[in-house]
């Protein structure tokens, strides 16, 4: 199947910006997602971007999509301690109704 | 409240003792799925179901069974658990109709330890 790759760990200071990167492989993906997993909980959809968009902004979150390089990023502005979590990118391959998740990036916010 | 429930939340068992993890959703979703989460490997899909009586293998189906007799329930069955099935398991559901974005709703997870 397709591989979705992320770095495993990111550490930032409170108030700084965080950028979490993801590389996907299926060029036919229709939607790309960012899910957040807080400690001891299931995943929750944080934001998503449709494949015909380059950028999506939602309050402190900015998603950038580079289809040529199959690269997706999530920027969190003014990172807070409550943003500490594992962030998963995922791609939806419309033809197969399949969603493939990445390995997850653990974000640690240092006060 | 829209939710996916799983039971039990924690389970410690011994090798070879059959077990079932239940999953139920109240959103009338057609699609349900089971994942396992392991450190450094992310979420890997075990089985999924597109509707009642329709199930298919995901990426890591070996050692697992599922059934979908009712739309709301999707139990995961380990007929002869082994230590390499020690993991954190998540059930998820979503709609497959409409234009998207096909958000998946996850249960709280079941932490399984097989000794």
């Amino acid at each position: 199947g397709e591989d979705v790759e992320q770095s495993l760990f990111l550490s930032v200071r409170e108030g700084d910006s965080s950028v979490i990167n993801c590389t996907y492989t299926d060029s036919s993906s229709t939607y790309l997602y960012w899910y957040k997993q807080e400690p001891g909980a299931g995943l929750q959809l944080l934001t998503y971007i449709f494949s015909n968009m380059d950028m999506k902004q939602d309050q402190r979150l900015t998603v950038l999509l580079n289809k040529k390089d199959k690269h997706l990023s999530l920027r969190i502005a003014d990172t807070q301690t409550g943003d500490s979590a594992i962030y998963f990118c995922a791609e939806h391959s419309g033809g197969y109704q399949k969603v493939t998740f990445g390995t997850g990036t653990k974000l640690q916010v240092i006060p | 409240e829209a939710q996916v429930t799983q039971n039990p939340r924690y389970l410690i068992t011994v090798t070879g003792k059959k077990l079932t993890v239940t999953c139920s959703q109240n959103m009338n979703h057609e699609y349900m799925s089971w994942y396992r989460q392991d450190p450094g490997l992310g979420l890997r899909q075990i089985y999924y179901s597109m509707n009642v009586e329709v199930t298919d293998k995901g990426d890591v189906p070996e050692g697992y069974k599922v059934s979908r007799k009712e739309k709301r329930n999707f139990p995961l069955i380990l007929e002869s658990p082994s230590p390499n099935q020690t993991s954190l398991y998540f059930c998820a559901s979503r709609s497959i109709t409409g234009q998207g974005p096909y958000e998946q709703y996850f249960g709280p997870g079941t932490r399984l330890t097989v000794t």
Side-chain angles (χ1 to χ4, degrees), chain A residues 8 31 33 35 37 40-43 45 48 86 88 92 97-99 101-103, chain B residues 9 35 37 40 42-43 45 50 59 90 94 96 99-104 106-107:
Chain A
L8 291 180
Y31 286 94
Y33 311 91
Y35 281 82
Q37 183 185 28
L43 283 70
L45 183 65
Y48 67 93
I86 301 176
F88 290 90
H92 180 251
Q97 290 283 356
K98 182 176 171 62
V99 176
F101 285 84
T103 50
Chain B
R9 293 291 312 278
Y35 297 89
Q37 182 180 8
L43 243 60
Q45 190 178 50
M50 299 287 279
D59 298 316
F90 288 101
R94 63 179 169 92
I96 59 173
Q99 297 297 309
Y102 310 115
E103 175 181 359
Q104 285 204 79
F106 284 80

Side-chain angles (χ1 to χ4, degrees), chain A residues 18 20 34 36 45-48 55-64 73-79 83 87:
Chain A
S18 309
I20 302 172
W34 286 103
K36 179 182 181 182
L45 183 65
L46 190 62
T47 187
Y48 67 93
M55 184 180 85
K56 180 179 180 181
Q57 190 144 4
D58 183 2
Q59 299 182 327
R60 292 190 297 121
L61 306 177
T62 303
V63 179
L64 295 178
S73 68
L74 173 69
R75 178 178 181 268
I76 306 173
D78 187 25
T79 312
D83 295 323
Y87 292 81

Side-chain angles (χ1 to χ4, degrees), chain B residues 68-113:
Chain B
R68 188 92 181 271
K69 294 186 171 60
E70 304 163 286
K71 198 171 186 180
R72 63 183 294 126
N73 296 323
F74 190 46
L76 179 69
I77 303 154
L78 285 72
E79 297 227 325
S80 184
S82 62
N84 65 10
Q85 292 178 299
T86 293
S87 188
L88 180 58
Y89 291 86
F90 288 101
C91 181
S93 74
R94 63 179 169 92
S95 174
I96 59 173
T97 58
Q99 297 297 309
Y102 310 115
E103 175 181 359
Q104 285 204 79
Y105 294 81
F106 284 80
T110 295
R111 186 164 292 281
L112 172 65
T113 302

Side-chain angles (χ1 to χ4, degrees), chain A residues 2 15 19 33 44-45 50 52 56 66-68 71 75 77 81-82 92 106 110-111:
Chain A
E2 303 83 7
V19 179
Y33 311 91
Q44 282 192 301
L45 183 65
F50 190 53
N52 69 353
K56 180 179 180 181
N66 181 331
K67 288 191 71 175
K68 176 176 170 289
H71 185 263
R75 178 178 181 268
T81 54
H92 180 251
K106 185 171 184 177
I110 303 166

